[in-house]
Amino acid sequence: MTDSHPLDPLTADEIRQAAAIVRRDQNVGETWRFASIELKEPAKADLPALVAAGRTRREALAVCWNRADGEAYRATVSLPGDEVTNWEHLPGQQPNMTVDEWHECDEMLRAHPDVARALARRGVTDMSLVLTDMWAYGAALVPERYQGRRIGWSDVWYRGSEQGNPYAHHVTGLHPVVDLNTMTLLELEDAYEEGAAADPEVMGEYLPQLIPMRLREVTPLHITQPEGVGFTLDGHLLSWQNWELRIGFNHREGLVLHQVGFRDGDRLRSVAHRLSFAEMVVPYRDASPDHYRRTAFDIGEWGLGFMTTSLSLGCDCLGEITYLDAVVHDSRGEPRTVPNAICIHEEDSGVGWKHVDERAGVEVRRARRLVVSFHVTVANYEYLVYWRFYQDGNIECEVRATGILVTSHTAAPGSRPRNGTPVDQGIYAPFHQHFIVARLDLDVDGAANTVYVTESQAAAVGGDDPYGLGLVVKSTPLRTEAEGKQDYDWGTQRGWKVTNDNVPNGLGTPVGYKLVPSAAFPPLLDPASPAYQRAQVIGHTLWVTPYHEDERWPCGDFPNLSEHDSGLATWTTADRSIENTDVVLWYVFGIHHVTRPEDWPVMPSDIVSFWLKPFGFFDRSPALDVPPSHGSAGTP
């Protein structure tokens, strides 16, 4: 294993050291919580010199706050120097929610007599079967009397049995409001009316021993590689076929891919400096009392890294697997290891190329891909993220959303809710959306890139095209941030090509990579609505900005309890140049989830993806170098 690289994630010892330095130098005591501790990545321009000199210059960024007064601070910590080099006060900001707060809130509420009495009126008396699920607020929805506090609101659920699904039984109309710094119940919103009908009988279980049906049988499927895997992992440096990349991880984004390059002959050519997810906005589109506050920022409020779960061979991953652990921390700054957090493996990807010739016979080249993945559990939802690298230079990013729906009781038996779908007798699942923001810092053969919008158009009928057969592709450079705000257009098959106009390929055209969009949809929100005001990034499919070291979070550094978006919507007002420079693409995609009965009680994966495809990056297809499949020779 090689020595530590400047982009390697913080180790458990480094996290512990960073917290200790902050506590010592800034008198951070028992009333404080650490919201986040992560690697302060070196500036992009400094990386080559650091690597060449064999220096790591390890720094950490730590965000913490004092529960006694609610004031938050951000520290820059030099680990070799054993000191805090910068201590920044963050007035009016609320750091991300923490796992500790979620658990402590649940314990406090289940032990609270007011909650117990409210549940007893509904016939729920066993508090060990109760789950309270705390959510963050948007500032515009916080009651005036609680403005300025670090507060959350909660759903209440209960299990039908010890191992039952808690999300099967929603206690509709019961919502605690909690001060998370004092961990006290501020008020209990309770819409219960004496004589109300009993909760509907639903079948919301998923464990085999609890469902009233036999599971279908499938025979075992084994995937083996008797000669071993085709990739190598040296520390966090991953190499496979012609690909080379570094694997990173942090509390907020989870998996991060650094310095993605493709070896072309004797050259390692840069494709991307950094690929990650920077935000995930999930607005529930139901104005009822149970759901009007339900807009989650799963990355900015909670953190994909904190929510990453361990993967299991034969279940989450199939085949010859290499795992990487990840290290996060609790709110005391103590490190916590997530075993098997990242999965690396090869997959057969079907036929990559085939042709049948009457003389040469059949030639088949099977495709293989390298997959780097991680899974996240955010309360009732699971997000399964897969980055796939192909032998021909393609990169695919796929997200599967699964888990369990949020439900509520319908207004009356047999009624049809306006903003959701009935999924069982007497319950419905509200419509909602998942907007995922991919941050794509592409460096196509270097950092000086230009983004072109490409659109297919029908040629005009007449002249040398009397039959109207012509198809032309219009390619327009995006020169400023205002022009870089782009929306998908199905009618023109709009896409975006990132080119290096300074580097021609063998045919004399600029090298490039194309973002091939899919799963893009409009927000369908009033721009004045609180949900949109906090997440204006969802207003466009693509944003293009010039690279800036501090511009990492599209909805702002601290979306928890935010009122306005302080990220892309603010940065792009400068309308900076994005031509022939180091650009970052912010691609917004996801799921417009119109719920259906088939999503209950288990929700099959909704699958969405996008592609980054070489477009003139190579003089010819790297797939030519793929060996023929065994047994491909023969005649048709």
Side-chain angles (χ1 to χ4, degrees):
M1 178 172 173
T2 59
D3 293 333
S4 178
H5 186 275
L7 294 174
D8 286 351
L10 292 181
T11 65
D13 287 342
E14 288 175 322
I15 289 173
R16 191 177 288 112
Q17 179 190 0
I21 293 170
V22 172
R23 281 194 291 265
R24 182 197 68 202
D25 289 2
Q26 300 300 327
N27 297 316
V28 169
E30 291 301 315
T31 61
W32 292 67
R33 290 190 193 268
F34 284 91
S36 61
I37 304 171
E38 64 173 320
L39 175 72
K40 186 179 189 298
E41 295 175 16
K44 196 172 178 179
D46 295 342
L47 265 174
L50 286 172
V51 173
R55 295 168 54 213
T56 55
R57 202 180 73 185
R58 304 285 279 176
E59 291 183 299
L61 282 176
V63 174
C64 53
W65 82 97
N66 190 346
R67 284 175 287 166
D69 59 14
E71 294 300 309
Y73 299 82
R74 178 164 44 202
T76 303
V77 182
S78 170
L79 298 174
D82 192 38
E83 63 175 338
V84 173
T85 58
N86 188 58
W87 180 249
E88 178 189 3
H89 184 211
L90 304 169
Q93 302 289 349
Q94 291 288 349
N96 55 271
M97 310 293 266
T98 69
V99 177
D100 287 344
E101 288 174 293
W102 191 94
H103 286 296
E104 291 170 21
C105 183
D106 178 52
E107 292 172 6
M108 181 273 291
L109 290 173
R110 287 192 294 109
H112 201 286
D114 290 353
V115 177
R117 281 192 290 269
L119 289 169
R121 288 197 295 271
R122 295 166 166 85
V124 178
T125 57
D126 187 346
M127 297 302 290
S128 71
L129 301 179
V130 172
L131 169 70
T132 64
D133 186 10
M134 187 257 293
W135 286 62
Y137 263 99
L141 303 180
V142 173
E144 180 65 31
R145 56 192 175 279
Y146 303 136
Q147 288 288 336
R149 297 198 192 194
R150 183 177 177 85
I151 72 168
W153 69 277
S154 183
D155 275 318
V156 182
W157 308 83
Y158 66 93
R159 302 175 188 269
S161 64
E162 181 63 29
Q163 295 296 315
N165 169 22
Y167 294 106
H169 306 286
H170 185 229
V171 183
T172 299
L174 185 65
H175 300 291
V177 179
V178 176
D179 185 312
L180 297 171
N181 278 334
T182 61
M183 205 51 70
T184 55
L185 178 64
L186 296 174
E187 65 178 82
L188 188 62
E189 300 173 359
D190 191 353
Y192 179 75
E193 297 179 1
E194 290 294 338
D199 289 351
E201 292 291 330
V202 301
M203 204 302 283
E205 305 299 343
Y206 58 85
L207 292 179
Q209 65 269 28
L210 297 179
I211 60 177
M213 59 189 294
R214 291 186 60 187
L215 302 181
R216 74 192 74 171
E217 296 182 0
V218 292
T219 57
L221 177 63
H222 299 290
I223 298 174
T224 62
Q225 291 180 274
E227 297 181 22
V229 299
F231 59 86
T232 60
L233 185 64
D234 183 7
H236 287 79
L237 177 64
L238 177 61
S239 302
W240 175 78
Q241 296 283 295
N242 292 328
W243 287 104
E244 186 174 295
L245 59 142
R246 289 193 170 274
I247 296 178
F249 193 92
N250 63 55
H251 74 283
R252 189 158 173 167
E253 296 159 292
L255 177 65
V256 179
L257 304 180
H258 298 281
Q259 296 185 317
V260 179
F262 195 94
R263 193 163 296 282
D264 188 6
D266 59 356
R267 293 186 300 152
L268 180 63
R269 301 175 63 190
S270 169
V271 174
H273 176 69
R274 196 177 189 279
L275 304 173
S276 69
F277 290 169
E279 193 53 90
M280 187 183 303
V281 184
V282 187
Y284 276 72
R285 307 304 302 274
D286 182 359
S288 72
D290 284 317
H291 301 294
Y292 76 96
R293 289 169 287 204
R294 201 183 301 277
T295 296
F297 290 70
D298 287 334
I299 294 177
E301 287 176 341
W302 291 101
L304 296 188
F306 284 139
M307 304 296 154
T308 294
T309 54
S310 297
L311 301 172
S312 300
L313 183 63
C315 298
D316 302 303
C317 313
L318 197 61
E320 299 292 330
I321 307 298
T322 295
Y323 292 107
L324 275 176
D325 297 344
V327 182
V328 289
H329 60 86
D330 62 20
S331 64
R332 298 181 301 279
E334 282 297 309
R336 174 176 65 88
T337 297
V338 184
N340 295 358
I342 299 169
C343 170
I344 305 167
H345 71 289
E346 292 176 287
E347 289 180 346
D348 179 86
S349 188
V351 173
W353 178 84
K354 178 177 180 177
H355 183 62
V356 180
D357 183 85
E358 62 180 18
R359 295 185 181 180
V362 181
E363 184 77 4
V364 181
R365 311 281 175 93
R366 287 200 71 79
R368 188 171 296 185
R369 62 192 183 192
L370 177 73
V371 185
V372 185
S373 62
F374 77 121
H375 294 183
V376 176
T377 298
V378 186
N380 58 297
Y381 252 100
E382 262 76 16
Y383 298 102
L384 321 180
V385 180
Y386 303 88
W387 289 92
R388 298 190 177 116
F389 295 85
Y390 291 79
Q391 292 163 302
D392 59 2
N394 284 326
I395 303 172
E396 178 193 15
C397 179
E398 178 186 279
V399 179
R400 295 180 173 227
T402 181
I404 302 169
L405 291 173
V406 163
T407 61
S408 287
H409 301 167
T410 54
S415 65
R416 295 193 172 275
R418 179 180 179 186
N419 304 131
T421 300
V423 295
D424 205 334
Q425 300 302 318
I427 65 170
Y428 77 99
F431 304 143
H432 56 282
Q433 297 162 306
H434 305 254
F435 294 94
I436 306 167
V437 185
R439 184 181 184 274
L440 309 174
D441 183 356
L442 297 184
D443 283 357
V444 178
D445 258 348
N449 291 171
T450 300
V451 181
Y452 289 77
V453 55
T454 64
E455 299 182 278
S456 299
Q457 298 176 343
V461 178
D464 59 357
D465 188 5
Y467 305 111
L469 294 176
L471 179 71
V472 297
V473 175
K474 181 181 179 183
S475 190
T476 307
L478 304 176
R479 305 185 189 280
T480 68
E481 288 180 292
E483 294 177 0
K485 299 175 185 179
Q486 293 279 306
D487 297 311
Y488 182 58
D489 186 342
W490 175 265
T492 64
Q493 289 295 284
R494 182 173 292 169
W496 297 277
K497 184 167 60 172
V498 182
T499 73
N500 190 326
D501 291 337
N502 312 291
V503 180
N505 58 27
L507 301 175
T509 58
V511 297
Y513 254 79
K514 186 174 182 180
L515 169 60
V516 181
S518 64
F521 55 97
L524 303 174
L525 272 168
D526 187 317
S529 70
Y532 185 89
Q533 284 295 306
R534 299 175 65 203
Q536 295 181 49
V537 63
I538 68 177
H540 297 289
T541 308
L542 182 75
W543 304 61
V544 184
T545 62
Y547 168 82
H548 192 284
E549 179 183 357
D550 296 328
E551 294 180 0
R552 297 178 61 192
W553 313 118
C555 297
D557 288 5
F558 304 106
N560 183 25
L561 283 160
S562 65
E563 186 168 2
H564 297 288
D565 184 337
S566 59
L568 277 166
T570 299
W571 309 332
T572 55
T573 57
D575 201 19
R576 297 166 292 186
S577 172
I578 56 172
E579 184 178 20
N580 197 30
T581 192
D582 192 354
V583 295
V584 177
L585 281 67
W586 310 78
Y587 176 60
V588 184
F589 70 111
I591 302 163
H592 181 70
H593 195 170
V594 176
T595 51
R596 50 192 189 123
E598 288 82 359
D599 291 333
W600 177 259
V602 295
M603 184 166 46
S605 295
D606 269 323
I607 304 172
V608 294
S609 65
F610 66 88
W611 291 78
L612 296 169
K613 289 178 171 283
F615 196 104
F617 188 74
F618 303 106
D619 292 345
R620 59 184 57 84
S621 173
L624 185 68
D625 193 32
V626 176
S629 304
H630 294 296
S632 64
T635 56

